[in-house]
Amino acid sequence: MSTPDRRTLIADTAIALVAAAGLRGLTHRAVDGAARLPAGSTSYYFRTRTALIGACYQRLAELDLGDVEADLGAEFGVDAGAGVDVGVDPGGDPGGDRGQAEGGAVAAPGGPSGREAAAKALAEVLHRWLTTGRTRQLARFELSLEAARNPELEPELHRAGQGARARAARLLAALGAQRPQESAELLAAWTDGLLYDRLVGALARTRPAPDRAELASVAHRMLDAALAGNDGQGAGTVREPGA
């Protein structure tokens, strides 16, 4: 097995262990055993626990972006080769932010039809993460909390989270967002909140199975809110009296 493949195997195994047993179950020895690797293999590639968790962040980002590419990318032509470094500066000028995002490979039309298609594609991503990707999302939440306790992990978590936000900014720019990066950060926060609520929230065990139509409706409302004020179609648009 080549080195890159072994690193991927270790990261995937670590993610599965965290989802099943929490961070208390994440040890180098446990990963070796679960991955059926010779003793010491995990510590050879990732010397510390911090390095191992950092590898999990990057692998989670890679897998999540793969899902986004499969659903949103197929619909809107999101550039899979852009990677995490997509030239969108989270702290940059809003005008420059829009220009950068619009320069990406997104061809989604603005207006209601484009928003409807985007909502359906986003619903497909959410459905995937609530069903076949459920284990991975549980691990992501668990591992994200660790960064709040370990400052060494914050840069890795930040870097891993930029890819999805940059893709969202490109999509929102194509849908007419004037401040796509700002809107993307809101959309990412709402998406995380929805996933958390439905996976581990108080009613998670009693909710019906995820439904694509219902998720599309929710996704449409999230997009409307993220785009509010950009074109007068957002759910949160404030109109002057008599308008």
Side-chain angles (χ1 to χ4, degrees), residues 40-243:
S41 295
T42 300
S43 61
Y44 175 80
Y45 292 104
F46 305 103
R47 299 294 298 173
T48 66
R49 194 166 185 267
T50 296
L52 180 58
I53 292 175
C56 290
Y57 290 154
Q58 292 304 311
R59 180 59 175 159
L60 285 167
E62 177 186 346
L63 292 169
D64 283 352
L65 282 173
D67 289 342
V68 170
E69 172 62 23
D71 297 317
L72 284 167
E75 184 72 33
F76 298 105
V78 178
D79 182 5
V84 174
D85 183 11
V86 295
V88 177
D89 178 6
D93 174 72
D97 174 56
R98 184 179 186 186
Q100 294 267 14
E102 288 180 335
V106 177
S113 60
R115 196 173 297 187
E116 187 72 27
K120 288 181 179 178
L122 178 56
E124 193 61 36
V125 176
L126 291 170
H127 187 272
R128 188 190 301 261
W129 289 346
L130 288 169
T131 55
T132 58
R134 179 179 182 276
T135 295
R136 191 202 318 157
Q137 296 306 312
L138 290 173
R140 183 169 67 85
F141 285 125
E142 186 88 32
L143 288 161
S144 295
L145 288 172
E146 185 66 10
R149 307 182 188 100
N150 184 351
E152 291 182 52
L153 289 168
E154 288 181 7
E156 289 288 348
L157 179 63
H158 174 80
R159 199 159 34 241
Q162 290 311 299
R165 286 165 175 76
R167 300 292 175 88
R170 291 181 176 186
L171 172 63
L172 290 166
L175 292 173
Q178 295 176 5
R179 296 175 180 268
Q181 185 66 31
E182 192 175 290
S183 297
E185 289 170 1
L186 287 173
L187 184 60
W190 293 329
T191 299
D192 270 352
L194 183 147
L195 290 170
Y196 186 89
D197 180 63
R198 299 197 178 200
L199 289 173
V200 299
L203 302 179
R205 292 187 179 276
T206 60
R207 287 187 184 278
D211 176 76
R212 285 180 171 86
E214 187 265 340
L215 289 172
S217 176
V218 171
H220 205 301
R221 293 200 294 274
M222 291 196 299
L223 287 171
D224 281 346
L227 292 164
N230 289 293
D231 58 7
Q233 296 176 28
T237 301
V238 177
R239 299 182 182 276
E240 294 293 333

